[in-house]
């Protein structure tokens, strides 16, 4: 199991092979079959270990509940669990990006082990009925917390990979959860440019109109991405092959190699072009920002509108979020603009357990609308409900999920 999960220390677009697993352990491939019937049995055992380990951690936190509020220290224990098992982060992201309703099935499995509902869903017990978002606020908060925790854990991993000093796991986890609870409003000084300033309803409506994107404002959808997304829907991440992408495009495999050496190069090349287009839209819109709070809102509102029309990019972005070493995909957002250039480098506040730059702060905020679009797909939410969820996320960034000592 340790060897199998070690493959998730770096992002993968396909599940490891049994030959790879045998080589990692240092045994012959037939020797594995003395323990597992086939690869599916290995994957099932991995999932069982993940669910069991996570449920044990969550049950310990659950015992600390007091009137519905959980102490920051207890929630930090959950974060610490993922910090100490970083491969579980990639395992989660990979499944969330490629397996339909993965988070719902996971929550159901956890509930059978005594863990209370985490997602805000009312689960369908029969295939003929549908899952219902029973607690919308809780659902959005769960997405926000999960994405934020995973992004900053990945940031910590990146520092470790470059041999930079990092806080030990317990302190890092406590600082991150404290930031989640309090948001920018209680973790920055009033004189800081990052300190939140209110946006009036009338001004918010103006910004919403500014950030609206329609199909006719964008180039035609990229057929390679449409094919790639279709392959993921049909075969999941472990079933992605150049042959299947070529079949979806109705072209020969050899023709694809005229454009790209391999599927990874294809994805990197195409996603860079798409993010460059998004970056142009964001920069044009953020020129209208009058405060840093408006800048952040325009950023996530513009991205949400873009990814809502380019949903085929979402599975790709799930894979990108797993990356620790390659930052080229989000490099466009590191380019200075009038707001980022005014921020200290590194930022003195907020303290989230790892050093922050203006670019890394924006990269984190940029992941929020991507994750929201991904999680809202297939949920039969109205556009108004999706926009409401986005605004709740923006409020969490500004004011925290609960600006008190307990969350």
């Amino acid at each position: 199991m340790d060897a199998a999960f070690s493959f998730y220390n770096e992002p993968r677009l396909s599940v490891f092979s049994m030959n790879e697993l045998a080589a990692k352990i240092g045994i012959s491939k037939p020797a594995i079959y003395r323990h597992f019937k086939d690869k599916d049995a290995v994957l099932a055992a991995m999932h069982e270990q993940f669910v069991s380990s996570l449920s044990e951690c969550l049950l310990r936190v659950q015992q600390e509940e007091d009137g519905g509020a959980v102490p920051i220290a207890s929630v930090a224990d959950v974060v610490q669990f993922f910090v100490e098992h970083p491969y579980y982060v990639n395992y989660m992201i990979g499944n969330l990006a490629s397996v339909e309703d993965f988070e719902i099935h996971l929550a159901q499995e956890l509930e059978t082990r005594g863990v209370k509902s985490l997602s805000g869903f009312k689960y369908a017990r029969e295939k003929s009925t549908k899952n219902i978002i029973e607690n919308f606020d809780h659902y959005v908060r769960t997405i926000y917390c999960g994405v934020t925790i995973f992004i900053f854990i990945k940031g910590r991993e990146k520092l470790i990979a470059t041999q930079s000093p990092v806080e030990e796991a317990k302190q890092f986890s406590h600082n991150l959860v404290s930031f989640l609870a309090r948001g920018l409003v209680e973790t920055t000084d009033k004189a800081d440019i990052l300190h939140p300033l209110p946006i009036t309803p009338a001004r918010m409506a103006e910004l919403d109109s500014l950030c609206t994107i329609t199909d006719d404002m964008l180039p035609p959808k990229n057929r390679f991405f449409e094919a790639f997304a279709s392959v993921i829907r049909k075969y999941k991440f472990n079933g992605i092959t150049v042959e299947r992408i070529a079949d979806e495009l109705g072209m020969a495999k050899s023709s694809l190699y005229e454009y790209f050496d391999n599927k990874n190069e294809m994805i990197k090349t195409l996603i860079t072009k798409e993010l460059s287009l998004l970056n142009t839209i964001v920069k044009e819109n953020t020129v209208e920002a009058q405060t840093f709070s408006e800048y952040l809102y325009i950023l996530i509102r513009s991205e949400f509108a873009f990814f809502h029309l380019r949903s085929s990019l979402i599975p790709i972005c799930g894979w990108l979020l797993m990356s620790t070493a390659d930052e080229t995909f989000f490099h466009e957002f590191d380019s200075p603009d009038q707001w980022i250039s005014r921020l200290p480098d590194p930022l003195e506040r907020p303290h989230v357990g790892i050093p922050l730059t203006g670019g890394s702060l924006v990269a984190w905020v940029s992941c929020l609308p991507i994750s929201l679009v991904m999680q809202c797909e297939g949920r039969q939410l109205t556009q108004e409900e999706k926009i409401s969820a986005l605004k709740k996320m923006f409020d969490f960034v500004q004011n925290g999920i609960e600006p008190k000592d307990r969350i």
Side-chain angles (χ1 to χ4, degrees):
M1 289 297 95
D2 288 343
F5 272 113
S6 72
F7 287 106
Y8 287 89
N9 284 329
E10 290 298 331
R12 294 177 63 91
L13 278 177
S14 60
V15 173
F16 55 83
S17 69
M18 295 296 268
N19 282 329
E20 288 178 305
L21 181 58
K24 175 84 71 169
I25 302 170
I27 61 175
S28 66
K29 179 178 175 181
I32 297 179
Y33 294 112
R34 289 200 289 268
H35 304 275
F36 297 96
K37 178 182 177 181
D38 51 28
K39 185 164 71 173
D40 286 342
V42 175
L43 297 176
M46 291 174 66
H47 186 70
E48 174 61 28
Q49 176 176 308
F50 167 68
V51 175
S52 296
S53 299
L54 181 57
S55 64
E56 289 175 7
C57 177
L58 293 173
L59 286 171
R60 288 196 300 270
V61 172
Q62 198 166 287
Q63 292 174 355
E64 300 292 331
E65 289 187 0
D66 179 18
V70 184
I72 285 179
S74 296
V75 181
D77 287 343
V78 180
V79 177
Q80 186 174 341
F81 168 80
F82 282 103
V83 172
E84 294 174 344
H85 303 85
Y87 41 82
Y88 283 159
V89 175
N90 282 344
Y91 180 81
M92 279 278 290
I93 294 174
N95 280 285
L96 286 168
S98 62
V99 179
E100 184 178 3
D101 288 338
F102 173 79
E103 79 284 4
I104 296 177
H105 298 311
L106 174 60
Q108 288 176 316
E109 291 178 279
L110 292 171
E111 283 190 23
T112 63
R113 290 165 168 79
V115 177
K116 295 179 181 178
S117 178
L118 299 172
S119 64
F121 267 100
K122 180 178 181 181
Y123 306 115
R125 300 303 176 185
E126 303 293 335
K127 291 185 177 180
S128 58
T129 56
K130 296 181 179 179
N131 297 298
I132 299 172
I133 299 178
E134 193 172 41
N135 187 328
F136 189 72
D137 288 355
H138 186 54
Y139 175 65
V140 177
R141 190 170 91 160
T142 299
I143 298 172
Y144 172 77
C145 290
V147 172
T148 301
I149 289 168
F150 282 4
I151 290 299
F152 286 120
I153 288 177
K154 299 303 294 180
R156 183 176 182 273
E157 283 185 62
K158 197 171 299 182
L159 290 173
I160 293 173
T162 58
Q163 298 183 332
S164 300
V166 297
E167 291 181 340
E168 52 91 17
K170 187 176 183 64
Q171 187 61 46
F172 164 81
S173 302
H174 185 277
N175 288 334
L176 178 53
V177 174
S178 181
F179 170 70
L180 278 172
R182 296 179 172 87
L184 291 173
V185 72
E186 292 192 7
T187 56
T188 59
D189 288 345
K190 289 185 177 180
D192 292 348
I193 187 175
L194 282 175
H195 192 76
L197 294 174
I199 303 176
T200 66
R203 178 59 175 164
M204 186 75 78
E206 291 178 5
L207 298 182
D208 286 336
S209 178
L210 169 71
C211 298
T212 299
I213 302 175
T214 56
D215 269 319
D216 60 344
M217 297 168 63
L218 299 176
K221 293 182 179 179
N222 188 296
R223 65 192 188 106
F224 287 97
F225 272 128
E226 296 296 312
F228 191 87
S230 179
V231 170
I232 291 178
R233 285 192 293 270
K234 291 179 182 178
Y235 305 105
K236 312 309 177 190
F237 269 158
N238 60 320
I240 299 171
T241 63
V242 173
E243 290 87 349
R244 285 172 172 166
I245 296 173
D247 287 344
E248 200 68 34
L249 289 166
M251 58 193 299
K253 174 183 174 182
S254 57
S255 298
L256 267 183
Y257 286 127
E258 293 178 10
Y259 298 96
F260 311 101
D261 290 336
N262 54 59
K263 64 186 177 186
N264 282 13
E265 181 191 341
M266 177 180 75
I267 294 164
K268 291 181 180 181
T269 301
L270 296 175
I271 197 70
T272 299
K273 291 181 180 179
E274 291 288 330
L275 288 183
S276 179
L277 170 61
L278 171 59
N279 184 52
T280 299
I281 294 171
V282 167
K283 285 194 171 183
E284 289 178 355
N285 289 346
T286 53
V287 168
E288 302 298 323
Q290 298 174 4
T291 66
F292 196 83
S293 294
E294 288 191 4
Y295 169 81
L296 288 180
Y297 182 73
I298 292 172
L299 172 69
I300 65 171
R301 187 66 177 82
S302 300
E303 288 187 350
F304 178 82
F306 179 85
F307 282 104
H308 190 262
L309 295 175
R310 289 288 204 257
S311 58
S312 59
L313 298 176
I314 297 298
I316 317 296
C317 290
W319 174 61
L320 301 181
L321 294 181
M322 293 188 286
S323 179
T324 57
D326 193 343
E327 296 180 321
T328 58
F329 305 110
F330 294 105
H331 78 283
E332 295 290 348
F333 296 106
D334 290 332
S335 53
D337 59 31
Q338 62 170 325
W339 291 103
I340 298 299
S341 61
R342 291 167 60 185
L343 296 174
D345 187 16
L347 297 173
E348 297 176 7
R349 292 172 291 270
H351 186 49
V352 298
I354 58 173
L356 278 183
T357 64
S360 59
L361 176 78
V362 169
W364 158 57
V365 174
S366 297
C367 290
L368 298 175
I370 297 173
S371 302
L372 182 61
V373 174
M374 181 174 70
Q375 290 301 306
C376 285
E377 275 200 289
R379 297 287 178 258
Q380 297 185 325
L381 297 174
T382 65
Q383 184 68 359
E384 290 73 21
E385 287 174 321
K386 293 175 183 178
I387 296 299
S388 173
L390 185 74
K391 291 183 177 182
K392 288 181 187 296
M393 280 195 169
F394 174 68
D395 185 64
F396 292 151
V397 172
Q398 300 287 84
N399 301 306
I401 57 176
E402 182 63 52
K404 299 176 182 179
D405 288 336
R406 302 173 78 79
I407 60 177

